[in-house]
């Protein structure tokens, strides 16, 4: 069914020795002709050896953090379709075919497997609250393209993978993936999939407050990079409001007595007003820069090989075009002599 496509399964792992062998085997049973890649992120248990014995290609990544692993995976592996999941067994390998079918039938560049019931439990109450909060913040800032931005079960085309900059270092990488697709207006899709619980002996690597703070910081950084006018405009409005409030007392005194005794307050309010203006001008300048960066990203994206049903039998590699040879033309000779 997918003979024209080269499919790679990507599993970033850190201390998933209790589950990784079963996950690899189930992926290979579900998709017999695919290659399963396990990138071991400094595991202290038997993750690497168990994954290798189960039939996976195991590669070490020394920089700690899921973002670093994903960046390495996307750089190393060349395929037509990529399916990324976790090695903890919470995502069902048997549902990978649904992601791939949706990617092809919808002609999408990314399909996200939204997690059924994750908002109700997610293993911990803090994680459930965080999922609801972060999705609401994302939708407020970047739009309603996604309903589960933190899902780690996704399918991508080569065109998406090779145009994704992957700046993040940790679990906030999924947020960056979603913003990248939204900024370039790429075709995306979502399907709801089952979300399981970790078996006994497998512990979550998420820190509710630490990773939550990283995700919030990523929201701010990506908003500044993709929507600088809005970002610095909000700062400008805040500074302007502070300036106007601090001006009330000096102005009221001046109109009453003709004097300004609260000079430090007045100078401070003028300083806030200048900072407000500077912030607005910064946003205007960076907005033009951001538009140029978005255009460059779009050109990199469009420069990738065909995909999504446009795949040729050579699995997407470029085919040398035949050039059309024009017939030779010999200009007639003209004899110019003195008699002429």
């Amino acid at each position: 069914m997918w003979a024209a496509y080269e499919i790679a399964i990507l599993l970033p792992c850190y201390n998933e020795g209790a589950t990784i062998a079963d996950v690899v085997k189930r992926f290979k049973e579900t998709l017999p002709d695919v290659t399963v890649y396990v990138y071991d992120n400094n595991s202290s248990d038997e993750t690497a050896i168990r994954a290798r014995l189960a039939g996976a290609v195991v590669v070490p990544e020394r920089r700690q953090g899921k973002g670093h692993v994903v960046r390495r995976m996307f750089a190393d592996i060349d395929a037509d379709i990529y399916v990324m999941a976790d090695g903890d067994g919470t995502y069902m390998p048997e549902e990978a075919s649904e992601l791939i079918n949706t990617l092809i039938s919808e002609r999408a560049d990314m399909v996200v497997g939204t997690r059924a019931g994750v908002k109700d439990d997610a293993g911990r109450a803090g994680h459930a609250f965080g999922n609801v909060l972060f999705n609401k913040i994302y939708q407020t800032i970047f739009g309603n393209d996604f309903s589960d931005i933190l899902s780690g079960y996704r399918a991508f085309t080569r065109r998406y993978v090779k145009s994704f900059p992957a700046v993040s270092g940790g679990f906030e990488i999924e947020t960056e993936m979603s913003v990248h697709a939204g900024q370039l207006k790429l075709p995306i899709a979502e399907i709801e999939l089952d979300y399981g619980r970790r078996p006994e002996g497998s512990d979550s690597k998420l820190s509710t407050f630490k990773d939550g703070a990283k995700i919030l910081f990523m929201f701010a950084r990506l908003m500044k990079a993709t929507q600088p006018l809005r970002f610095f405009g909000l700062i400008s409005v805040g500074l302007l409001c502070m300036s106007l409030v601090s001006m009330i007392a000096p102005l009221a005194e001046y109109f009453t007595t003709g004097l300004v005794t609260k000079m430090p307050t007045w100078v401070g309010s003028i300083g806030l007003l200048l900072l407000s203006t500077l912030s607005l001008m910064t946003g205007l300048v960076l907005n033009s820069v951001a538009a140029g960066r978005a255009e460059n990203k779009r050109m990199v994206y469009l420069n990738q090989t065909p995909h999504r049903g446009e795949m040729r039998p050579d699995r997407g590699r470029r085919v040398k075009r035949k050039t059309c040879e024009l017939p030779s033309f010999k200009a007639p000779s003209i004899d110019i002599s003195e008699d002429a």
Side-chain angles (χ1 to χ4, degrees), residues 14-19 45 87-90 123-124 127 171 197-207:
Y14 172 63
N15 286 345
E16 301 293 359
T19 57
D45 61 5
D88 56 12
T90 53
R124 295 187 216 168
H127 291 182
F171 283 102
R197 296 190 179 185
R198 286 174 171 270
E200 293 185 9
S202 177
D203 298 322
S204 174
K205 313 306 184 297
L206 285 172
S207 171

Side-chain angles (χ1 to χ4, degrees), residues 38-73:
V38 172
Y39 274 59
D40 179 37
N41 197 201
N42 300 316
S43 297
S44 58
D45 61 5
E46 298 180 348
T47 296
I49 185 63
R50 293 186 180 184
R52 189 174 289 110
L53 291 174
V57 176
V58 179
V59 180
E61 171 51 47
R62 301 306 178 194
R63 289 188 177 88
Q64 194 67 43
K66 185 175 182 179
H68 296 301
V69 177
V70 171
R71 179 165 51 251
R72 174 80 179 276
M73 285 178 160

Side-chain angles (χ1 to χ4, degrees), residues 124-330:
R124 295 187 216 168
H127 291 182
F129 174 75
N131 273 287
V132 175
L133 176 64
F134 294 140
N135 280 295
K136 291 295 183 184
I137 294 175
Y138 179 92
Q139 292 166 4
T140 300
I141 299 175
F142 302 105
N144 299 317
D145 291 337
F146 299 95
S147 61
D148 186 7
I149 62 166
L150 301 180
S151 173
Y153 205 6
R154 303 181 182 223
F156 314 91
T157 61
R158 185 182 190 279
R159 180 169 281 183
Y160 178 95
V161 166
K162 298 305 180 182
S163 66
F164 177 57
V167 176
S168 307
F171 283 102
E172 64 273 21
I173 187 68
E174 284 94 357
T175 303
E176 187 183 357
M177 290 177 178
S178 303
V179 173
H180 177 71
Q183 183 189 21
L184 299 188
K185 304 296 187 293
L186 305 183
I188 57 96
E190 287 187 326
I191 57 174
E192 188 174 70
L193 302 177
D194 291 333
Y195 184 68
R197 296 190 179 185
R198 286 174 171 270
E200 293 185 9
S202 177
D203 298 322
S204 174
K205 313 306 184 297
L206 285 172
S207 171
T208 301
F209 296 104
K210 182 179 178 180
D211 290 311
K214 288 182 179 179
I215 293 171
L216 287 175
F217 179 77
M218 177 57 64
F219 280 144
R221 194 186 66 79
L222 290 173
M223 183 181 179
K224 179 178 71 67
T226 61
Q227 304 176 28
L229 183 57
R230 187 179 180 187
F231 180 84
F232 286 100
L234 290 173
I235 295 176
S236 177
V237 170
L239 292 171
L240 178 62
C241 291
M242 293 171 61
S243 174
L244 294 176
V245 169
S246 62
M247 282 182 181
I248 293 176
L251 287 175
E253 182 185 26
Y254 175 77
F255 288 121
T256 302
T257 65
L259 300 173
V260 178
T261 59
K262 299 179 180 179
M263 188 58 67
T265 303
W266 176 252
V267 172
S269 64
I270 296 300
L272 290 172
L273 182 61
L274 292 174
L275 288 175
S276 174
T277 305
L278 180 61
S279 179
L280 180 61
M281 297 304 297
T282 301
L284 289 170
V285 173
L286 291 181
N287 194 59
S288 298
V289 175
R293 292 184 63 213
E295 291 175 1
N296 289 335
K297 288 181 181 180
R298 181 74 183 178
M299 295 308 297
V300 172
Y301 162 79
L302 293 174
N303 196 42
Q304 302 305 315
T305 53
H307 64 302
R308 303 174 317 192
E310 304 159 17
M311 199 74 64
R312 293 187 287 266
D314 63 345
R315 295 184 300 186
R317 291 187 290 272
R318 293 186 182 276
V319 176
K320 186 178 181 181
R321 296 181 180 178
K322 295 181 179 179
T323 58
C324 180
E325 296 183 359
L326 297 175
S328 60
F329 176 78
K330 184 176 182 181

Side-chain angles (χ1 to χ4, degrees), residues 116-127:
V118 68
K119 296 179 181 178
D120 301 325
D121 181 74
R124 295 187 216 168
H127 291 182

